[in-house]
Amino acid sequence: MDLARTEVSPAGASPAEAGRAAAKRRGTAARLGLMALPVAFFAVFFAYPVTAIVARGLKADGVWRLGRIGEVLAQSDVRQVLWFTTWQALVSTVLTLLIALPGAYVLARFDFPGRQLLRAVVTVPFVLPTVVVGTAFLALVGRGGLLDELWGVRLDTTVWAILLAHVFFNYAVVVRTVGGLWGQLDPRQEEAARMLGASRFTAWRTVTLPALAPAVAAAALMVFLFTFTSFGVVQILGGPTFATLEVEIYRQTSEIFDLSTAAVLTMIQFAAVGAILALHAWTVRRRETALRLVDASRTARRPHGAGQWALLAGVVATVAVLLLLPLAVLVERSFGAGLGHYRALTRDDGGVFLVAPIEAVGNSLGYAVAATAIAVVIGTLASAALIRRDAGRLVRGFDALLMLPLGVSAVTVGFGFLIALDEPPLDLRASWILVPLAQALVGVPFVVRTMLPVLRAVDVRLREAAAVLGASPWRVWREVDLPMVRRAVLVAAGFAFAVSLGEFGATVFIARPDNPTLPVAVARLLGRPGEINYGQAMALSTILMLVCAVALLLLERLRTDRSGEF
């Protein structure tokens, strides 16, 4: 029997090899097809509005005024904004790492009663709207706040309030990014070093720290990104003295109406964000390929010895003081007049809004549901296209594109919506869908970062076997991937819902007075003098905080140890 004749095709390849090659070609075509809708979505609702607003500011009579860039950078107040933006982001990042790394270690290595609850608690601040975070610290350290009442300490116009609020907001980024990897490192490597005579610190420094370095770098870059582009926190706490690039873009756009300066600042922020995301992508690739990981459930052990119990107690105390105290003060201030502030939410005083403030709750929930649906569809398609790590530069560039809305000025996007989406066939300024579209831009990155690690964990041989047997890419996804990632889809939807609920930078431009969202309502109430307006802002912030917290606690019940990066 001629084995070569029976096993090899006329082209010189075995039927199995030919089948795999054909499946690979179908997979490449399928990935390009999956990318089509996300690319179109980002092109129309992200790139187009941002380009339109930049062009409006830097183009006059058809001529680009690039000399305006140098003129803007020569202004002393702009250089001061750039310096403060960079300086506070660096300090916020260092403080967050110093305070959060012990928490990452405790949640990664210790197994104790209430561990899952503590993990959920430290994550709540991250999904809270920045307006709520700013309001919570205003209630704690601002005029008439808790520290002002007790000791006469007032930090609402100092940088320390901003730095503490940033640590509060980004604590979970370090805990989840670093702790997630720490829990999967094989502890036997460090134990082997100690058996060979290394001290505990030396073993940690020479074995564990190098393995954690990519995760620490990735977490630091994400914290720097979030604080570099901070808006809601600085807008509320900074007052007229301190402004980040994002706050200055908002001021130049909505108060001074200097679009050319705003366009230059947008370009500067875009360049900085692009560099940060490029570094972050490099650190993520190192983290994915350089380590041998184990099941995180096998590495957590019950604390033993006074030192470990003291460390656990210190982390719990830090969470209580830094994370829970501001939220508790926020709730307390909302009940300053009993239920009076909550009752006032049901009345239309004809001042701040055209409707009663309580209607912002229903508006926000409806917008967030629509934004979640959009984000899940776009994010799921994008995640499916990004499954292969070796798919080439085009796909890696697509991955970076998906992260840009987290760092590019949301103020620019929102104002760009008004400027660009005002003519047929995209005349959407009067449509309710404008707000969910802006919110979905922020939700998509969270969907992708939640689902992509889970999809990549699916054994590729299952997909190949189904493809070789003739299954279409859609059928492979439906029968192989979907049953394994169904829970991750729910988690991704929950995160998209929470971040959509709290989106503020873009929504502040496009939410109509008769349909305000919760963050916009809070900001406008805080902008008006009077105890009743302050109390209503606290009450709305408490409602928003509770909705986000409930959504996150439900997510924690669905989450598995491999349910993504957030």
Side-chain angles (χ1 to χ4, degrees), residues 453-477:
V454 182
L455 284 169
R456 285 178 172 173
V458 177
D459 192 338
V460 67
R461 291 173 297 183
L462 296 176
R463 300 190 187 101
E464 291 176 349
V468 168
L469 293 173
S472 66
W474 163 244
R475 189 173 180 184
V476 171
W477 161 256

Side-chain angles (χ1 to χ4, degrees), residues 230-297:
S230 181
F231 177 57
V233 167
V234 180
Q235 176 78 353
I236 291 175
L237 295 175
T241 307
F242 300 104
T244 57
L245 271 172
E246 186 80 350
V247 173
E248 187 64 17
I249 291 170
Y250 175 76
R251 189 173 73 90
Q252 295 288 342
T253 301
S254 64
E255 298 176 10
I256 302 178
F257 304 109
D258 186 351
L259 292 186
S260 64
T261 298
V264 172
L265 296 179
T266 297
M267 293 172 65
I268 294 172
Q269 183 166 303
F270 185 84
V273 167
I276 295 169
L277 290 177
L279 284 174
H280 180 264
W282 178 72
T283 58
V284 168
R285 287 198 300 273
R286 284 192 61 195
R287 186 178 60 187
E288 288 179 342
T289 60
L291 300 174
R292 181 182 302 172
L293 305 178
V294 299
D295 187 354
S297 63

Side-chain angles (χ1 to χ4, degrees), residues 385-396:
L386 293 169
I387 289 176
R388 292 181 63 92
R389 293 187 177 93
D390 58 347
R393 294 182 180 178
L394 176 64
V395 175
R396 289 200 299 270

